[in-house]
Amino acid sequence: MIEFRDVGKRFADGTVGLEELSLTAREGEITVLVGPSGCGKTTSLRTVNRMVEPTSGSVHLDGRDVADVDPPELRRGIGYVIQQAGLFPHRRVIDNVATVPVLQGLSRQEAKKRAAEVLERVGLSALAQRWPAQLSGGQQQRVGVARALAGDAPVLLMDEPFSAVDPVVRVELQDELLRLQAELGKTILFVTHDIDEAIRLGDRVAVLRVGGRLAQFAPPDELLAAPVDEFVSGFVGRDRGYRRLGFVSATALRLVDLPTRADANGDSPDSPDRAVPGEWTVLLDGTERPSAWLGPDGARHDLGSLYVTDGADAASDAAGTLRGALDAALSSPAGRGVAVDGGGRYRGGVEPDDVLALLDRGTTR
Amino acid sequence: MRAFGYDIDQLVIAHVLLAIIPVILGMIIALPLGWWAHRSRGARRVLVPLSGALYTIPSLALIVFIPVVLGTPILSPVNVGLTLTIYTVALLVRSVAEALDAVPASVSLAALAVGYRPAGLLLGVQLPLAVPVLTAGLRVASVSSFSLVTVGALVGIESLGTLMTDGFQQDYTAMVVTGIVGSIALAFIFDALWLGLGRALTPWSRARAGV
Ligand SMILES: Nc1ncnc2c1ncn2[C@@H]1O[C@H](COP(=O)(O)OP(=O)(O)O)[C@@H](O)[C@H]1O
Ligand SMILES: [Mg+2]
């Protein structure tokens, strides 16, 4: 259990990071701190492991004032995961994970054994011998989580751990955290600025406003159903709209035909030449994959982001997400987005009006 | 091997020792100073310009000035060694500070967060990560030292520089050229050595995605 008792932090330059935060993160639960950037989330998290010393109030871990514990000792008993993973670039994955057990006094060999167990648990055994630079962003974050678990700490602090990875991987990481949590039952204090993430992960969610002032602290459904004030409803509502599009399938979206033409740089003489003079034309390479827009000016333009229908092949017509469709429609220089199938092959065009019509039909609420 | 009436082996050994020992000593002294400059803005404001200024003192001036201050014999190699040590420190203080600056703050922060104490952080995380920048500084200091060692020959301290000064006096070009080529070759050999050592210590720095 983590207890904040009237915790305040005024930095040396006079900035108020926190004023009087009182909050209890319950044992075995995920407590999420969510709020706009600069509202004091990171500061509050760091008062727990004494990376930041409060200027007033106190933080208690299982009833014990953390100010009474030697900071390095304290930190070895608290897992900590940050946004850029903070892996040690000069240590292989397994040695990164073994760091905490070594600091806790285990022999190098025992520590490695422990690290191997943890890697196994999070399904990363295959990466044990890699250097951090050889991992994708998502893999780095997972190693960061493994390292935090390796010390067997009952408490985890996570500071926007999944914010730097793309939305698809982020959802995977969130699912994995929930799975691990179901097995391990840690006391987790999780910081994010993403209300969707907060709602997916949190047993209880604390919405903070600037100054680290608690606006509302409640289970997610309560937060959504009964926001206490304008700030909370604004925060819960504003971000949710667009983000949630990422989970909504654009089932009813119709694809339109676009003028296409074989890309002169490509090698497909037999691609049907359907260029329309004076119109935006999609250039297709030899494998039917869009390579660029050909503008009415005859110049090549970036495609913008593509709308990926979920189908693995052209025959499948499963829909992609509404957010993908919206991004494609709005980012294309041609005023219409390009749709491709799961294999990256051209499927058709996306009209912004069609996407907006779908949004209007209330699909997103 | 003898040539031009000199024991060349002995000159080479003297040259190498006189160039390398100051580089190593200089590094040992520069490490804590550089760390201090990295930690404290005040220390940096004094140490970095001061070490820069040291480097502008002419080497010959230092070599003849040191015996006056320390009372060492005028012909002692210590005068040259000390001079080169001072130059190495002058070059490396800034290097060390910048090498430590270059360690990503997120990594140092993560190290503190998992429970490193300051000494462990420095030795276990920051210094290993500083090796690439440190190696670059060390290579400059080493090349500079191998070249400056020859100046000692002007006041009678033996090195390959002796072939240059004596060859010049005797108007013996082959002897001068041997001295120059020899000292350049030694500088290159040790440069390659530092480069190799730096690479051996940093296998991680060559790791790239998919390798
Ligand atoms: N070391 C510091 N010195 C001065 N101000 C700081 C420091 N750290 C954070 N702040 C300020 O405190 C406020 C809260 O910061 P932070 O806790 O990092 O916010 P969040 O994590 O919610 O984005 C911000 O206004 C920030 O600029
Ligand atoms: Mg933050």
Side-chain angles (χ1 to χ4, degrees):
Chain A
M1 191 174 72
I2 308 167
E3 253 179 296
F4 293 87
R5 294 190 195 158
D6 302 326
V7 178
K9 175 65 186 181
R10 182 181 292 273
F11 289 100
D13 65 359
T15 315
V16 176
L18 284 178
E19 41 183 335
E20 300 219 331
L21 176 68
S22 291
L23 179 122
T24 300
R26 291 193 203 156
E27 184 106 33
E29 286 193 354
I30 301 181
T31 302
V32 179
L33 303 182
V34 64
S37 173
C39 72
K41 303 182 297 292
T42 297
T43 304
S44 52
L45 205 63
R46 289 187 182 166
T47 58
V48 178
N49 68 356
R50 295 189 67 186
M51 305 278 285
V52 167
E53 300 289 354
T55 39
S56 62
S58 56
V59 180
H60 300 256
L61 201 60
D62 296 326
R64 189 160 173 220
D65 188 341
V66 297
D68 296 337
V69 189
D70 171 47
E73 235 15 273
L74 174 72
R75 292 168 192 159
R76 287 167 198 177
I78 299 176
Y80 192 76
V81 189
I82 55 177
Q83 186 173 340
Q84 300 301 336
L87 298 183
F88 305 124
H90 62 305
R91 295 197 183 139
R92 293 180 189 274
V93 165
I94 182 130
D95 297 312
N96 259 282
V97 177
T99 302
V100 180
V102 167
L103 286 170
Q104 286 172 336
L106 257 60
S107 75
R108 199 153 276 284
Q109 203 183 352
E110 285 171 313
K112 279 213 182 195
K113 213 176 118 209
R114 170 95 190 105
E117 285 163 16
V118 175
L119 285 174
E120 170 105 51
R121 159 155 254 152
V122 298
L124 291 176
S125 297
L127 304 180
Q129 293 304 320
R130 296 255 189 110
W131 301 104
Q134 296 171 322
L135 305 178
S136 70
Q139 289 169 334
Q140 291 189 18
Q141 287 307 138
R142 292 165 74 205
V143 174
V145 172
R147 185 174 66 186
L149 292 175
D152 222 359
V155 174
L156 294 188
L157 305 177
M158 308 183 82
D159 193 351
E160 312 227 9
F162 308 146
S163 294
V165 295
D166 70 66
V168 177
V169 176
R170 190 180 314 155
V171 172
E172 285 172 20
L173 291 170
Q174 290 166 354
D175 287 341
E176 183 161 312
L177 180 66
L178 288 173
R179 179 180 67 75
L180 283 169
Q181 174 64 356
E183 286 174 26
L184 302 173
K186 305 276 184 189
T187 304
I188 299 178
L189 198 55
F190 189 107
V191 157
T192 179
H193 63 265
D194 175 352
I195 185 72
D196 288 316
E197 185 164 70
I199 284 168
R200 283 200 84 202
L201 296 180
D203 292 304
R204 288 158 70 81
V205 176
V207 182
L208 301 183
R209 54 178 114 222
V210 173
R213 281 173 304 143
L214 196 55
Q216 187 168 3
F217 186 33
D221 43 356
E222 191 181 321
L223 207 61
L224 293 173
V228 287
D229 60 13
E230 286 277 295
F231 174 79
V232 176
S233 63
F235 192 74
V236 170
R238 171 173 53 79
D239 258 18
R240 278 187 78 66
Y242 177 69
R243 286 252 169 66
R244 259 201 65 206
L245 296 182
F247 305 108
V248 177
S249 167
T251 326
L253 185 67
R254 131 195 111 95
L255 297 184
V256 297
D257 264 345
L258 298 174
T260 62
R261 170 197 283 188
D263 192 344
N265 297 345
D267 48 6
S268 173
D270 57 352
S271 182
D273 189 339
R274 291 192 279 150
V276 179
E279 265 202 55
W280 285 88
T281 305
V282 181
L283 296 177
L284 301 179
D285 71 8
T287 55
E288 290 290 305
R289 290 180 174 81
S291 49
W293 276 106
L294 183 64
D297 52 355
R300 297 168 70 95
H301 298 265
D302 273 351
L303 286 166
S305 85
L306 298 173
Y307 168 57
V308 184
T309 66
D310 251 355
D313 53 61
S316 159
D317 57 358
T321 66
L322 206 44
R323 179 171 170 180
L326 187 63
D327 282 342
L330 298 182
S331 68
S332 162
R336 301 194 284 187
V338 179
V340 295
D341 64 24
R345 280 172 300 272
Y346 171 77
R347 288 286 314 279
V350 179
E351 288 282 3
D353 284 350
D354 292 345
V355 182
L356 295 176
L358 278 181
L359 292 180
D360 263 357
R361 271 200 259 149
T363 326
T364 59
R365 277 198 318 179
Chain B
M1 190 171 74
R2 290 193 67 84
F4 317 112
Y6 281 97
D7 182 340
I8 302 289
D9 296 343
Q10 198 183 318
L11 290 185
V12 166
I13 290 170
H15 194 101
V16 167
L17 290 180
L18 212 47
I20 280 305
I21 293 174
V23 168
I24 292 165
L25 277 181
M27 181 56 116
I28 291 172
I29 297 168
L31 276 174
L33 291 177
W35 174 78
W36 192 25
H38 159 74
R39 283 297 295 264
S40 140
R41 213 179 288 180
R44 187 186 211 99
R45 260 201 293 267
V46 176
L47 287 173
V48 170
L50 189 73
S51 57
L54 274 181
Y55 199 71
T56 64
I57 305 174
S59 49
L60 200 53
L62 269 180
I63 292 173
V64 296
F65 191 61
I66 283 171
V68 178
V69 176
L70 295 186
T72 43
I74 195 103
L75 278 183
S76 163
V78 168
N79 305 330
V80 176
L82 215 53
T83 299
L84 296 183
T85 307
I86 290 171
Y87 282 138
T88 306
V89 172
L91 280 173
L92 288 184
V93 165
R94 187 190 187 135
S95 252
V96 172
E98 283 173 358
L100 292 173
D101 294 345
V103 175
S106 63
V107 174
S108 298
L109 199 82
L112 285 176
V114 298
Y116 272 99
R117 294 181 192 278
L121 172 68
L122 181 65
L123 297 178
V125 178
Q126 294 177 322
L127 272 184
L129 288 177
V131 165
V133 182
L134 281 183
T135 309
L138 185 65
R139 289 174 64 193
V140 172
S142 170
V143 165
S144 150
S145 185
F146 270 96
S147 129
L148 282 171
V149 115
T150 56
V151 175
L154 290 174
V155 292
I157 310 298
E158 286 206 332
S159 69
L160 288 178
T162 309
L163 295 180
M164 300 181 205
T165 50
D166 291 9
F168 191 71
Q169 267 166 12
Q170 296 164 29
D171 214 358
Y172 193 169
T173 312
M175 192 165 156
V176 175
V177 169
T178 306
I180 293 173
V181 171
S183 71
I184 291 176
L186 286 181
F188 266 109
I189 290 169
F190 276 85
D191 189 53
L193 202 86
W194 301 130
L195 182 66
L197 186 69
R199 289 175 68 92
L201 288 175
T202 58
W204 49 272
S205 72
R206 291 180 301 285
R208 283 291 160 264
V211 177

